[in-house]
Amino acid sequence: MTQPAAVLFDLDGTLVDTAPDLAAAANRLRESRGLPALPLADLRPVASQGARGLLRVAFGLQPEDHEFPVLREIFLEDYLSRICEQSTLFPGMVQVLHWLEENQIPWGIVTNKPGVLTTPLLAALALPVAPGVVVSGVTGN
């Protein structure tokens, strides 16, 4: 079997389970508006879509809606302030990263998550093996 030249991972929902922190930010925003929190099970399926998906489920909003930009900004500020309280590598990923390192296979992350969120998240996670490259989105969704 031929080893890959490199491995690239998506960040949210593939390498790292960020859904609990993203859902918590959406729920804090709901609660600040007098709405009850939604179960994680309702928000997890759209967590990898970022603010766009979470605000759609949490508030029924689309990017073209008048309220969307304001709520998106509040959501992102809140998420950034508590970016890695519950986020963790998915089970087995520590072993995968060590295996890649042991087999001298470079690995990296390619994500649509803006760099302003990616960098502090990765710093807080303290990955057991550093990625060779991280490519982030320029604008948030």
Side-chain angles (χ1 to χ4, degrees), residues 96-118:
V96 169
L97 297 178
H98 282 301
W99 184 88
L100 292 170
E101 180 180 49
E102 290 165 9
N103 288 279
Q104 299 179 341
I105 299 171
W107 74 278
I109 297 167
V110 178
T111 179
N112 65 341
K113 187 183 223 72
V116 70
L117 299 174
T118 301

Side-chain angles (χ1 to χ4, degrees), residues 112-134:
N112 65 341
K113 187 183 223 72
V116 70
L117 299 174
T118 301
T119 300
L121 173 62
L122 293 177
L125 283 168
L127 297 171
V129 178
V133 64
V134 176

Side-chain angles (χ1 to χ4, degrees), residues 19-20 23-24 26-27 30-31 36-46 54 57-58:
N27 276 327
R30 280 181 58 84
E31 290 168 350
L38 294 173
L40 177 58
D42 290 354
L43 296 168
R44 179 179 287 284
V46 296
L54 289 157
V57 172

Side-chain angles (χ1 to χ4, degrees), residues 38-121:
L38 294 173
L40 177 58
D42 290 354
L43 296 168
R44 179 179 287 284
V46 296
S48 66
Q49 296 170 21
R52 179 174 291 151
L54 289 157
L55 293 177
R56 184 182 70 247
V57 172
F59 294 95
L61 293 175
Q62 298 294 334
E64 59 272 9
D65 292 331
H66 175 71
E67 266 190 289
F68 185 88
V70 172
L71 289 183
R72 178 185 174 275
E73 205 52 44
I74 295 168
F75 167 82
L76 291 174
E77 287 175 12
D78 179 74
Y79 173 62
L80 179 59
S81 74
R82 300 170 77 169
I83 198 159
C84 195
E85 291 183 342
Q86 300 176 64
S87 294
T88 60
L89 289 172
F90 276 105
M93 290 311 297
V94 168
Q95 293 84 354
V96 169
L97 297 178
H98 282 301
W99 184 88
L100 292 170
E101 180 180 49
E102 290 165 9
N103 288 279
Q104 299 179 341
I105 299 171
W107 74 278
I109 297 167
V110 178
T111 179
N112 65 341
K113 187 183 223 72
V116 70
L117 299 174
T118 301
T119 300
L121 173 62

